[in-house]
Each structure stands twice: as structure tokens, then as C-alpha cells.
Amino acid sequence: MMKTLVATLVSLALTAPALAAETSEQEALKLRLDELNEELEYLSDRLDKAERHTATDRIQFSGDFRVRAHTLHYQDVTWNPAMLVDFNDFGAKAMSGQLGDPNNPNSPLGALMASNPALAEAFMSGQLQGVMPMVLAPKQTYDVNNDILYNTRLRLNLKAQVWDNVSFAGRLTMYKNWGDSTGVQVFDSWRSFTMDGTNSGNTSGDWLRVERAYFDWKNIADSNFYLSIGRRPSTYGPPTQYRENELRGGTPSGHLVNFNFDGATLGYRLGEITGIEGQVLRFCYGQGFESQWGNGEMYGDIVTKDTHLGGFNIDALNDGTHFLQLTLFGAKDVNDGFKGLMAFPTQLAGIFAPTMYQDMQKFDDFNFVTRVQPSSVIGDMYLGGIGYAYEGDSGFVGFASLGWTRTESNGNAGLFGGMLADARFEAALNADGTEILMVPVAAQDAGDHDGYGAYVGIQIPAPGGKFGLEYNYGSEYWTPFTQAQDDPIGSKLATRGHVGEAYYIFDINPKMHIKLSGLYYDYEYSGSGTPVGAPQKVEDILAGTAYSMLPVVDTAYDINATLALRF
């Protein structure tokens, strides 16, 4: 269109001299043509800029970049594995001949006795009766020191205004350790297990994951209701944003929830009615696990169930100085794990896969990667809490959060246990009747358990930035959904025990800071961060009177330095 306009003007300019005889008129027309050309170039530039602006403004990009160096130290790491075996059931099956002839070394029972002479002697002498621990390997206690661990986190934020009252938001995250993009870790703790809900908080590799992707539909039918659906902003919620030196990063209480999930939120802006600033009521629903699509069972032979989440999150007050939040939600049909990948530990292969272990010893620096999935529905969970934060004009911040968790076991259990209960194993023959297997049949001492957690902190102005102190405590059965918190030792807010943290943040400019931090963990009970298995006193595991299928840490500390910027 622009070329056509220019051509028309040029044609007019060339035709005018033919109609006018005077040279002065020709010069005037030429001057006018030059002026028009200048105006057209100016308009063309403006139009091009407007077109580019419209195209690029469809999606707005921002982000943050963080580099962190850790020195990690774990004291008295203890591995003392055992399983609870019903020896009365074992004895009855052995006496009836179901397990083969004990005097025949080629029978399943004879082979078991021959390979475990101490177990055979204890059983024959009557020392093994009722449900007792069957020790699987000698107790080991050691320290672990990772003097330097570097990692990098890149987060890209996406925003788009779809319509006057409809918007889209997303976040892509890369989080990796320097020199490592394997994406799969050796399964020595539940934190090392790669799964959907924790990928954004676990170092995985040099690729971007979709941490968030959702739309907001506000003022539906000119009301105070709004609807949001997609991968939820359910990480880095209050009051955890202060230690991150960020604005509020997620909707639910960060003391109770730091976990990625897919779902929907229906909200109502109560403040428009009550007059209380920032008051919002939200009903949240989500799915934490899909049991059928993609599982290993064939033809609908499914033993697990979908895990559904639902509850309320209320910002009772949010006026920029005072923040008060109430949270209550539940998870129905919790399974004994999630679908995901892990590198199978050689030590566990020696216990559970002796035939494979023979080959694995030839390649002691190899681990085979396997896809795992839950084996049973173990019960329901409920979480609730109240949190308050104060932000003063001087830069002072103080907060306190109290949390409650409740687990209700249905008595089922998988290999690693049931809902806050250990599994009870019984002897059974394998498919071809050649080997005795220990099969989990139920949760031992299953029941309902309440857990409690407290989280407090302050942040004060200091030369060049701010100084902060935080402390949190979790009881024996404390089980929040904070497994995506990106502390390398493990989510500090999921700790069953004590954690203290001190940090100093130096503000280089409004979009860049340096943070020096130290965290000290003092674990009182095992199993922090998972509802699977009975919590055991760490001091009893150290003493050898209690057992854990996975290594247990007594104390640990993390000293780290961070350089972060926003763009």
C-alpha cells in the first residue's frame, strides 16, 4: 500500500510540470514532493514500529538467573536396613511344606536356609517369633562431605493479555548442577527420586521444564469471581519469598505446599464486599497422580488410584503491611509413591536382586536406570495452617507460621511401607516356585497420625542490604507437601527436627543481589518429606535398635553463596 501511495504521488509530481509552463512552479512542486517523501518516510517508520510493537507485545518475557555455590556436610549418615517379617506365618508355611523341604538345598526353603545360616539358626532355636525385623545388611555409619557444589537456575516468565479480563502466565525453568545433566539420580533418598511434582526444585539438566502454565479469567460476568486453570503457581508461597529475596511467588502457604501440580482455582474477591484490603477466598482443586494412563499394568489391571487434591486458601488480610493467610486442604487416595525415574542403587540390588547383582559387580561404576511407579493406595492426608507476616516501612520483616498435618492409613503398604507405617512382609514363592520372596502384605501398626510444624523468621535492614534469621521445627509425623523446595540437602520445611538459617543479602542494584547463607539441620526422626514408612528416632537408628531401608542423616549443614539477577 505504501508503494502504491508513493507511485501515485510521483505520478502527480511528474504530470504537474507538463501542465505548468513556468520553471518556478516546477521547482515549487519538486520542493513539495521532497517534503511529502520525508513525511511518508516518517509515517512508514512509525507504522513499522507499531506493527513490531503489536507483534512482540503478544507475549511479554521476563526472568531471573541464579548461580549458587554450596559446601555440604552430613554427619553420622547411617544405613541399617531391615524388613518386618511375620515369622509366625513363615513358620506355619515352612512346617506345612508350602516353601519346600528344608533338608533339600535345592528347594526354595533349603536354599534360603543355606544362604542365611544365622537366620536359619535363630529360627530353629525359636528366637524368631511374631513380627520382627529381618536385618538385610550390616549397619554402616559414616560422614559425607561435598566441599563444593555449583548449580545454576534459569527461570523464564511468560505473560500474555488475551482479552480485557483474560490473561495467560507461564514459567519455564532450567535447574542444573555444574557438570551434570543426567536428569536421573541414584535413589538414596526420596528427594533423589525424579517425579512430576518436584522436577522444578530438583537439579535435573540443561533443559527447560514447564513449571507453570495457566490462564486467569477475572471478573466473570461482571462479578468478583475469577477462574484459573492449568499448571498451578504452587511453589515459593508465603513466607518463603523473604529468604529468596523475591515478591510472593505462589498462592498457597509455602510452609505447607511447595509442590507442582495441575488443577484449577475458583476465587472470590471478598475485599470488594467486606472492605478489607486484599481479602480473597480461593477453592483449589488438583490432581497429584494419574493412576491409569501410562502405568505398567496391562488391560486395566490397576491397583492404584488417582490422587485428587482439594481445599481452601484464604488471604484474610493483605494490605502491604500485614498479611494473614489461612489454608486447609486434603489429598484423597494417596499412593506409596509417584511415577518417575531413578538409578537403582547397587546396595539395594545386593538385597533385592541377587541374580542381577552378580553382573552388577562386574561394572561397579554402572547403575541401571529404571522407571518406577506406586504399588498401592495407602490412605488420605489433610493439611492446615495459619501464617502471619509484617512488613514495616523501615524494611523490617517478621513472620510466623503454624502448620498441621494428618494422615489416615487404610492399612495397605508397598515395599517401603504404608502411610507413616512400615510394611509387614510374609514369605511367598515366586511365579515358578523356585525362590522364596518376602512380599509386603499390610502396614504394621497402621493408624491415624497428627503432625505439627512451626516456622518463624525476621529480616532487618543492614549495611548494603538486609540480614535474616529463620527457624523451623517439625514433629515426628510432620508431613507437608514441600518436596519441590530447592534446598540440596532436602526441603528444610519438611524436616522432622530442627533447622536454623542465617543469611545476609547485599543489594547490588534493584535487580541484582549477592546472598551469603548458612543452614543447619538437626534431624530427630527419619523419613522427612515422605508419608511412606514409619518415622524412626535417628538416635535409635544410630544405636542399631531401629532400622531404615534408606540412609538416614543425623545432622547436616549447608553454607552457600548466591549471585542472582532479574531481567
Side-chain angles (χ1 to χ4, degrees):
M1 180 178 178
M2 189 67 65
K3 291 181 178 180
T4 302
L5 183 58
V6 171
T8 302
L9 292 171
V10 171
S11 177
L12 290 173
L14 294 175
T15 303
L19 300 176
E22 297 295 332
T23 303
S24 59
E25 291 182 6
Q26 294 179 5
E27 293 176 351
L29 287 171
K30 185 176 182 302
L31 180 62
R32 180 56 181 159
L33 179 61
D34 292 338
E35 292 175 352
L36 288 172
N37 283 332
E38 290 180 4
E39 291 181 13
L40 287 171
E41 289 177 3
Y42 172 73
L43 290 173
S44 178
D45 289 341
R46 289 193 59 182
L47 286 171
D48 288 344
K49 290 179 180 178
E51 289 173 358
R52 289 195 302 269
H53 186 69
T54 301
T56 56
D57 274 4
R58 289 172 186 169
I59 298 179
Q60 296 179 358
F61 288 91
S62 63
D64 60 79
F65 181 80
R66 188 186 77 185
V67 178
R68 181 170 286 173
H70 299 266
T71 178
L72 307 173
H73 302 273
Y74 307 76
Q75 288 82 42
D76 293 330
V77 180
T78 303
W79 189 48
N80 194 23
M83 62 174 64
L84 292 176
V85 175
D86 188 338
F87 284 102
N88 288 344
D89 173 81
F90 181 84
K93 291 176 178 176
M95 294 296 291
S96 68
Q98 294 183 45
L99 305 179
D101 183 357
N103 298 315
N104 181 0
N106 295 320
S107 75
L109 182 58
L112 178 65
M113 294 299 187
S115 61
N116 296 275
L119 176 67
E121 182 180 353
F123 180 72
M124 296 304 292
S125 65
Q127 297 179 33
L128 301 179
Q129 296 182 359
V131 179
M132 295 182 61
M134 175 178 166
V135 178
L136 302 174
K139 180 172 74 74
Q140 302 177 40
T141 300
Y142 47 90
D143 293 341
V144 176
N145 296 297
N146 188 340
D147 293 327
I148 189 67
L149 172 70
Y150 298 106
N151 54 53
T152 297
R153 187 188 71 184
L154 169 67
R155 300 189 301 193
L156 297 177
N157 301 311
L158 296 81
K159 290 185 178 180
Q161 192 66 34
V162 179
W163 202 248
D164 292 341
N165 63 336
V166 180
S167 61
F168 167 83
R171 183 155 78 188
L172 309 178
T173 300
M174 181 205 76
Y175 187 31
K176 72 179 298 292
N177 294 320
W178 287 19
D180 176 24
S181 285
T182 60
V184 181
Q185 303 177 43
V186 175
F187 183 51
D188 59 3
S189 70
W190 286 102
R191 172 164 183 76
S192 64
F193 180 61
T194 302
M195 59 185 179
D196 179 68
T198 65
N199 281 337
S200 67
N202 283 347
T203 51
S204 53
D206 55 353
W207 57 81
L208 289 171
R209 295 184 181 273
V210 179
E211 180 185 353
R212 300 176 180 181
Y214 60 94
F215 74 83
D216 287 327
W217 181 14
K218 302 176 181 178
N219 303 321
I220 300 174
D222 294 325
S223 70
N224 294 325
F225 282 100
Y226 73 90
L227 176 66
S228 181
I229 301 177
R231 192 155 175 80
R232 310 305 302 147
S234 52
T235 53
Y236 303 98
T240 63
Q241 75 269 25
Y242 299 116
R243 68 191 291 255
E244 300 290 335
N245 198 34
E246 298 176 345
L247 298 176
R248 177 181 180 178
T251 298
S253 163
H255 188 199
L256 290 169
V257 180
N258 196 321
F259 196 89
N260 297 115
F261 71 92
D262 308 291
T265 295
L266 179 63
Y268 189 83
R269 304 188 186 282
L270 281 174
E272 302 292 332
I273 298 175
T274 64
I276 300 176
E277 188 173 350
Q279 191 172 75
V280 180
L281 170 65
R282 303 176 180 90
F283 172 74
C284 302
Y285 162 79
Q287 183 170 341
F289 177 75
E290 166 56 45
S291 65
Q292 292 179 295
W293 187 268
N295 264 6
E297 297 94 344
M298 295 180 66
Y299 308 119
D301 182 22
I302 307 298
V303 297
T304 56
K305 293 183 180 180
D306 292 352
T307 301
H308 295 279
L309 316 171
F312 293 92
N313 193 87
I314 304 172
D315 289 355
L317 176 63
N318 187 8
D319 62 3
T321 300
H322 303 277
F323 176 79
L324 179 64
Q325 184 183 60
L326 305 171
T327 302
L328 180 65
F329 73 97
K332 305 293 289 185
D333 296 324
V334 176
N335 298 277
D336 64 333
F338 294 84
K339 290 181 286 189
L341 299 177
M342 70 176 182
F344 196 80
T346 302
Q347 292 85 342
L348 291 184
I351 296 172
F352 296 108
T355 304
M356 184 179 296
Y357 183 59
Q358 297 303 315
D359 288 331
M360 292 178 68
Q361 292 180 74
K362 302 171 186 176
F363 305 94
D364 57 1
D365 55 349
F366 280 38
N367 289 94
F368 68 88
V369 175
T370 182
R371 179 189 180 280
V372 293
Q373 63 193 47
S375 61
S376 180
V377 179
I378 59 176
D380 302 326
M381 294 181 62
Y382 301 92
L383 297 89
I386 181 171
Y388 171 76
Y390 171 81
E391 298 184 18
D393 294 335
S394 64
F396 172 82
V397 172
F399 66 83
S401 178
L402 298 175
W404 159 81
T405 64
R406 180 177 177 82
T407 59
E408 297 182 354
S409 173
N410 60 12
N412 296 334
L415 176 64
F416 288 91
M419 181 74 79
L420 294 185
D422 286 333
R424 184 177 78 251
F425 290 81
E426 293 182 359
L429 293 178
N430 64 351
D432 60 7
T434 59
E435 182 182 358
I436 294 176
L437 305 178
M438 292 298 174
V439 180
V441 296
Q444 183 71 11
D445 300 324
D448 302 339
H449 298 291
D450 293 300
Y452 304 92
Y455 179 30
V456 296
I458 61 169
Q459 191 178 89
I460 59 176
K466 60 203 75 169
F467 173 74
L469 289 172
E470 295 188 4
Y471 166 79
N472 61 275
Y473 171 78
S475 69
E476 177 180 3
Y477 295 111
W478 171 243
T479 314
F481 283 4
T482 61
Q483 294 90 337
Q485 195 170 24
D486 63 6
D487 303 314
I489 289 177
S491 167
K492 75 167 193 171
L493 295 178
T495 299
R496 292 171 180 159
H498 309 267
V499 181
E501 179 178 9
Y503 60 83
Y504 203 122
I505 295 174
F506 298 91
D507 294 318
I508 300 174
N509 58 53
K511 292 189 175 184
M512 189 174 182
H513 71 268
I514 293 173
K515 177 184 176 183
L516 304 178
S517 174
L519 294 90
Y520 181 78
Y521 295 71
D522 183 4
Y523 293 95
E524 291 187 344
Y525 293 91
S526 64
S528 295
T530 176
V532 181
Q536 305 290 340
K537 285 188 176 181
V538 172
E539 61 183 25
D540 290 344
I541 296 175
L542 286 169
T545 58
Y547 304 90
S548 175
M549 198 72 77
L550 296 174
V552 170
V553 178
D554 182 18
T555 60
Y557 63 92
D558 171 9
I559 299 173
N560 59 79
T562 301
L563 177 62
L565 56 91
R566 299 187 300 275
F567 55 88

